[in-house]
Amino acid sequence: MRSPKDFFGPLAVGAPAPVREVPARPSRMIHFFDPSNEKMAAKVPGMVGTVDVLLGNLEDAVKADRKEAARQGLVDIAKATDFGDSTQLWTRVNSLDSPWVLDDLITLVTEIGDKLDVIMVPKVQGPEDIHYVDRILAQLEARAGLTRPILVHAILETARGMANVEAIAGASPRMQGISLGPADLAADRRMKTTRVGGGHPGYLVRQDPATDLGEGVDPVTAERTTYQQDLWHYTIARMVDACAMHGIFPYYGPFGDIKDVVACEDQFRNAFLLGCVGTWSLHPVQVDIAKRVFSPSAEDVAHARRVKEAMGDGTGAVMLDGKMEDDASLKQCLVILELAERLSANDPELADLYAVDAPAAEGEGS
Ligand SMILES: CC(C)(COP(=O)(O)OP(=O)(O)OC[C@H]1O[C@@H](n2cnc3c(N)ncnc32)[C@H](O)[C@@H]1OP(=O)(O)O)[C@@H](O)C(=O)NCCC(=O)NCCSC(=O)C[C@H](O)C(=O)O
Ligand SMILES: [Mg+2]
């Protein structure tokens, strides 16, 4: 087990000092592209400034015989592109047991380490996987003469990773965040869904049989309302707790039904409400959905401001619109305000939107 003191110094001579606090940069959508796909790659420069994160994916969804092309494609794109201040560059490397990952890490850190913000590591099983990546990154950063550390993001996609999620979140000061990988996780857990994220119509609860349907009607087989449940609730909630406990950021992952933009928005919103800061976008159509969902609404921001104002020094209890507000609800409002402020700093449209307070409700403050 590592001593917490290890967090204060680099793991290799000459490597940059670890971060003390993970930078809270907007990352509402981590937009995946395959750098070996010429059509997709050609779109990347045009997406700078329109997405929070561009992620060159080297792992699943890239064909085995295109792995080297994807790696080189990412190097070429990174070298040729100015990502500015509002778009980060991330990558997802191949899994730690694959024949490609060592070359992924060596090539990317050496060639474009100064441009890479975060490396996403798939199929993380426990803190030992993060320790391995941590040490190699420190050695490569030292050799490349990098002056800031590259952060690490883990994907939760095995039952063992899930069982170790708290230890993974706290495994290194490089840990930036964790995403849910619902497809791999479902397979590993032997769940019986073939969907990439999202709900399932079979996972439901049903209204009790009625007691007053009259003679001759079987209350068990009679029409009863059903409610579809969220397959991912437990997993996301647990991931959110692990991340919050360690001061890092939780993300929903992929939503594979590209055409079902409505269910996609629902899944993203559930994750946002539970505490996630962002999601993956797999197709351009999911970018605006993520932007909309993971930015607080103007109404919520206006309400949070009113609570802050009504709460004065932040202690005690007041009534606002017939509802009790106190120290704790103020903290909830501050979460919204802090997020709105951070997002507005990069987005003039949001800054405008949030500057407008919703009209005050009648009886306010009574
Ligand atoms: C899902 C796709 C295969 C769909 O691609 P396509 O059939 O080409 O879609 P369209 O014809 O609708 O595309 C329209 C144009 O947009 C471009 N395009 C498509 N996707 C992207 C993108 N991600 N970034 C940039 N540009 C994109 C197309 O090239 C078309 O261009 P044009 O013809 O010039 O108009 C495809 O979207 C795709 O492959 N997406 C990424 C998939 C991916 O990364 N998968 C891996 C992450 S999910 C995962 O790994 C599971 C997870 O780990 C788990 O375990 O749960
Ligand atoms: Mg996966």
Side-chain angles (χ1 to χ4, degrees):
M1 180 157 146
R2 296 171 69 177
S3 154
K5 290 204 180 84
D6 291 345
F7 277 34
F8 295 122
L11 289 180
V13 175
V19 293
R20 299 279 174 111
E21 200 170 326
V22 181
R25 297 182 65 185
S27 46
R28 294 163 293 180
M29 71 300 293
I30 302 167
H31 184 74
F32 272 60
F33 68 94
D34 172 355
S36 76
N37 177 321
E38 279 172 21
K39 266 191 353 183
M40 257 192 233
K43 293 206 159 42
V44 167
M47 297 184 90
V48 171
T50 69
V51 296
D52 295 337
V53 176
L54 278 163
L55 180 143
N57 176 35
L58 308 185
E59 200 224 7
D60 292 356
V62 175
K63 289 180 90 56
D65 61 3
R66 301 290 295 161
K67 294 289 184 185
E68 278 85 10
R71 190 190 298 137
Q72 189 54 45
L74 180 56
V75 169
D76 295 342
I77 290 168
K79 285 189 172 170
T81 309
D82 176 1
F83 293 91
D85 290 333
S86 57
T87 299
Q88 303 176 55
L89 177 66
W90 294 21
T91 186
R92 177 171 79 170
V93 294
N94 285 286
S95 62
L96 297 180
D97 60 355
S98 75
W100 305 290
V101 66
L102 199 53
D103 286 333
D104 290 346
L105 291 170
I106 293 171
T107 304
L108 297 180
V109 179
T110 308
E111 298 276 336
I112 55 167
D114 56 334
K115 292 223 165 160
L116 266 183
D117 294 289
V118 176
I119 293 181
M120 194 181 259
V121 182
K123 303 176 178 70
V124 172
Q125 300 270 19
E128 66 281 4
D129 287 343
I130 302 299
H131 296 163
Y132 171 78
V133 172
D134 201 1
R135 182 77 73 175
I136 288 198
L137 285 182
Q139 290 171 341
L140 292 170
E141 285 167 347
R143 198 159 73 177
L146 299 186
T147 53
R148 80 182 158 97
I150 297 169
L151 301 182
V152 168
H153 181 110
I155 317 181
L156 265 191
E157 28 193 12
T158 65
R160 191 155 93 77
M162 197 61 223
N164 289 327
V165 64
E166 289 86 7
I168 292 169
S172 159
R174 284 186 200 274
M175 281 301 297
Q176 180 275 342
I178 301 183
S179 288
L180 167 68
D184 271 303
L185 183 56
D188 193 65
R189 281 174 169 168
R190 308 191 74 73
M191 289 167 71
K192 306 302 181 292
T193 169
T194 54
R195 300 171 175 208
V196 177
H200 193 290
Y203 194 69
L204 51 80
V205 291
R206 188 181 301 269
Q207 186 186 25
D208 278 0
T211 51
D212 56 356
L213 291 178
E215 236 170 88
V217 184
D218 179 355
V220 170
T221 53
E223 179 80 19
R224 289 150 67 186
T225 308
T226 59
Y227 302 90
Q228 196 172 318
Q229 304 293 294
D230 182 358
L231 271 181
W232 302 107
H233 178 82
Y234 155 78
T235 310
I236 295 176
R238 199 165 158 206
M239 174 180 76
V240 166
D241 283 348
C243 289
M245 172 178 159
H246 287 284
I248 68 171
F249 301 108
Y251 298 78
Y252 178 71
F255 190 87
D257 193 342
I258 307 288
K259 296 270 179 267
D260 193 349
V261 290
V262 175
C264 175
E265 179 155 347
D266 292 338
Q267 177 70 75
F268 286 0
R269 184 160 290 107
N270 287 348
F272 174 66
L273 288 169
L274 272 181
C276 291
V277 300
T279 186
W280 301 3
S281 52
L282 304 183
H283 185 278
V285 79
Q286 295 183 337
V287 169
D288 280 344
I289 303 174
K291 196 176 280 188
R292 185 163 62 244
V293 169
F294 288 92
S295 311
S297 69
E299 291 73 25
D300 280 350
V301 173
H303 172 74
R305 277 209 195 104
R306 289 178 58 222
V307 172
K308 188 178 171 197
E309 206 171 294
M311 279 296 295
D313 73 353
T315 62
V318 296
M319 280 286 270
L320 201 58
D321 307 337
K323 298 190 184 81
M324 188 279 300
E325 306 290 349
D326 70 356
D327 314 46
S329 65
L330 172 62
K331 284 185 205 150
Q332 293 174 273
C333 291
L334 293 178
V335 169
I336 302 281
L337 290 177
E338 196 189 301
L339 178 57
E341 213 168 277
R342 196 180 314 135
L343 296 176
S344 303
N346 279 335
D347 186 334
E349 251 176 59
L350 276 184
D352 276 356
L353 186 72
Y354 294 152
V356 183
D357 272 1
E362 236 173 272
E364 175 187 337
S366 58

